[in-house]
Amino acid sequence: MSKRYFLFLFALCIFSFNAVSQNKEAVEVYDFDSEPEILKTRSSALDKTHPNLLNPQIAKEEHETVTKSWTKLHRDIAQFLEANDFEWETEESQIMILHKFYFEPNGEIHTYAFKMMNEEINESQRRAYSDLMTKFAETYRIDIIKDGQFAQCGKTKYLN
């Protein structure tokens, strides 16, 4: 094989990889408090098409696996927020958030909606959290693979 041919194949591979990675749609992140109108329609439509695996009636035989993946997801979120120097800017010792994660069959997050239950968290911090969660969701993949899209929805407490 000539060097030119090898370089051509290498460049073609790089171009193909970039084209595939650029085709991934952006993750959608919504704050129930900031975007309630969008979420009334968007979230209810997703709830109909994405079974919530945390519901024991939906994933009876997988309940332990799903529960472990939920726990790991939130541990990873807490580590990501800490690594990015995120501060809740409140005196409250616990932060409670209602989460709605919607996944592709391969475990990638395509939509995330949240509601902060602590009223003391200001708009600026909710926006900062939303921005960080967008970055987190762009690369995170849960350890569950299904034949169709699915969800994990529930409340979580984070220590402040």
Side-chain angles (χ1 to χ4, degrees), residues 1-11:
M1 240 190 224
S2 73
K3 286 183 184 180
R4 239 186 205 158
Y5 182 72
F6 177 75
L7 289 172
F8 172 75
L9 285 178
F10 181 73

Side-chain angles (χ1 to χ4, degrees), residues 55-96:
N55 181 338
Q57 285 100 13
I58 291 176
K60 286 179 188 172
E61 58 281 339
E62 297 175 294
H63 189 68
E64 187 176 327
T65 302
V66 171
T67 302
K68 285 181 182 177
S69 71
W70 180 252
T71 302
K72 182 182 182 313
L73 170 65
H74 293 291
R75 224 179 289 129
D76 293 344
I77 289 170
Q79 289 173 351
F80 182 82
L81 294 174
E82 185 178 329
N84 284 277
D85 299 320
F86 180 78
E87 297 288 332
W88 293 105
E89 294 185 2
T90 181
E91 295 299 317
E92 296 185 53
S93 61
Q94 292 184 343
I95 308 302
M96 183 176 294

Side-chain angles (χ1 to χ4, degrees), residues 29-40:
V29 175
Y30 299 104
D31 179 346
F32 277 99
D33 290 328
S34 298
E35 299 150 315
E37 299 309 313
I38 293 172
L39 287 167
K40 281 181 189 175

Side-chain angles (χ1 to χ4, degrees), residues 35-49:
E35 299 150 315
E37 299 309 313
I38 293 172
L39 287 167
K40 281 181 189 175
T41 56
R42 181 83 173 128
S43 183
S44 62
L46 290 171
D47 289 343
K48 290 177 185 172
T49 59

Side-chain angles (χ1 to χ4, degrees), residues 83-145:
N84 284 277
D85 299 320
F86 180 78
E87 297 288 332
W88 293 105
E89 294 185 2
T90 181
E91 295 299 317
E92 296 185 53
S93 61
Q94 292 184 343
I95 308 302
M96 183 176 294
I97 302 175
L98 169 66
H99 300 277
K100 290 187 162 205
F101 288 95
Y102 300 97
F103 298 93
E104 295 293 346
N106 68 358
E108 290 179 348
I109 299 168
H110 68 76
T111 304
Y112 170 60
F114 67 92
K115 177 166 181 61
M116 299 215 172
M117 309 307 276
N118 304 65
E119 293 179 14
E120 287 185 19
I121 298 175
N122 64 43
E123 177 68 25
S124 173
Q125 282 313 99
R126 286 200 319 264
R127 259 194 319 273
Y129 173 82
S130 180
D131 291 345
L132 280 175
M133 286 303 295
T134 300
K135 290 178 186 174
F136 174 84
E138 286 173 350
T139 59
Y140 193 81
R141 182 180 288 181
I142 200 165
D143 294 333
I144 295 177
I145 296 176

